Amino acid sequence: EDKVVQSPLSLVVHEGDTVTLNCSYEVTNFRSLLWYKQEKKAPTFLFMLTSSGIEKKSGRLSSILDKKELFSILNITATQTGDSAVYLCAVENDYKLSFGAGTTVTVRA
Amino acid sequence: GAVVSQHPSRVICKSGTSVKIECRSLDFQATTMFWYRQFPKQSLMLMATSNEGSKATYEQGVEKDKFLINHASLTLSTLTVTSAHPEDSSFYICSARNRGISYGYTFGSGTRLTVV
């Protein structure tokens, strides 16, 4: 059975802090790993990772994949209150996505 | 950019009635659409995969007679919750595979279903 495990389940930080979110997976026929941000409605796309060791960056967010150890991390630096959301990790295999439980990030002013 | 329009965004219905949720790909052809359900504070659970012109593939534990999926055209897929019960209350989201974008998946905005 495919597994996508995210940790921690939730965390609370103050503005300006850096957060690191983890995602480990066990899936057959891995194709890609995706990160999404979900506020109140549908998830919005952040990153897609297919190759090990290549960091992807978008502003204060970055992510990297380790296909040998089967995990990915998502970093958010200089957090802002607008970063408060649920961050979802999803793994694509056989042309469908399996989601982790998500990490709820709360950024306090 | 790629857009999937999902309607309604919110619906309240009585127990025993049926509710239809629509997802339309507005500027691309979606040969495959995915339907997810999300309970409060939980992740998205894939319910079924629908391919245009063929029967949907349901995930284990999802009742195909209760959650009817139709994908009659390349731009429209519908999910009908039949004989709804309060335990069917949830957030339902569709997603379409779009080969025209780098990451391949576009999500609808979701439907909050409340069965009373």
Side-chain angles (χ1 to χ4, degrees):
Chain A
E1 185 181 329
D2 298 334
K3 290 182 183 177
V4 182
V5 178
Q6 291 186 246
S7 63
L9 290 181
S10 65
L11 71 162
V12 179
V13 298
H14 289 95
E15 276 192 315
D17 288 349
T18 294
V19 299
T20 298
L21 309 182
N22 302 291
C23 176
S24 63
Y25 62 92
E26 289 180 35
V27 298
T28 53
N29 303 320
F30 174 89
R31 293 178 61 84
S32 66
L33 185 145
L34 299 93
W35 285 97
Y36 290 87
K37 177 182 182 181
Q38 186 178 27
E39 295 177 86
K40 288 191 176 177
K41 291 196 172 180
T44 54
F45 171 78
L46 295 176
F47 297 109
M48 183 176 79
L49 305 161
T50 56
S51 301
S52 273
I54 300 174
E55 185 182 51
K56 292 210 170 181
K57 294 194 74 170
S58 176
R60 296 175 293 101
L61 277 68
S62 64
S63 184
I64 197 162
L65 173 67
D66 186 327
K67 291 170 73 174
K68 182 180 177 184
E69 300 297 330
L70 307 182
F71 78 91
S72 173
I73 60 172
L74 174 68
N75 280 318
I76 310 173
T77 60
T79 51
Q80 302 171 357
T81 54
D83 295 325
S84 296
V86 176
Y87 290 84
L88 296 169
C89 170
V91 176
E92 181 188 19
N93 66 333
D94 297 329
Y95 298 99
K96 65 179 184 181
L97 297 180
S98 298
F99 282 84
T103 295
T104 301
V105 175
T106 304
V107 182
R108 296 216 167 119
Chain B
V3 175
V4 172
S5 175
Q6 184 171 346
H7 293 282
S9 59
R10 187 180 293 268
V11 59
I12 300 172
C13 71
K14 291 185 177 180
S15 283
T17 61
S18 295
V19 173
K20 181 184 282 189
I21 302 169
E22 288 190 354
C23 272
R24 291 181 186 273
S25 56
L26 297 187
D27 47 6
F28 66 99
Q29 293 182 332
T31 54
T32 303
M33 279 206 182
F34 305 90
W35 287 94
Y36 296 87
R37 179 168 55 185
Q38 186 176 35
F39 291 108
K41 298 191 177 181
Q42 294 187 27
S43 190
L44 280 73
M45 298 300 295
L46 181 65
M47 299 174 66
T49 303
S50 75
N51 294 294
E52 186 265 336
S54 63
K55 289 184 178 180
T57 302
Y58 289 81
E59 295 298 301
Q60 195 171 7
V62 178
E63 300 175 59
K64 60 181 69 175
D65 294 331
K66 181 167 186 62
F67 299 100
L68 300 179
I69 291 173
N70 186 282
H71 194 159
S73 77
L74 286 171
T75 58
L76 174 65
S77 178
T78 61
L79 167 68
T80 302
V81 183
T82 63
S83 187
H85 290 283
E87 57 265 30
D88 298 325
S89 298
S90 188
F91 190 57
Y92 293 86
I93 309 176
C94 65
S95 171
R97 181 175 293 131
N98 178 6
R99 299 185 191 284
I101 56 176
S102 60
Y103 56 94
Y105 297 89
T106 303
F107 283 84
S109 55
T111 298
R112 175 77 58 195
L113 170 63
T114 303
V115 184
V116 298

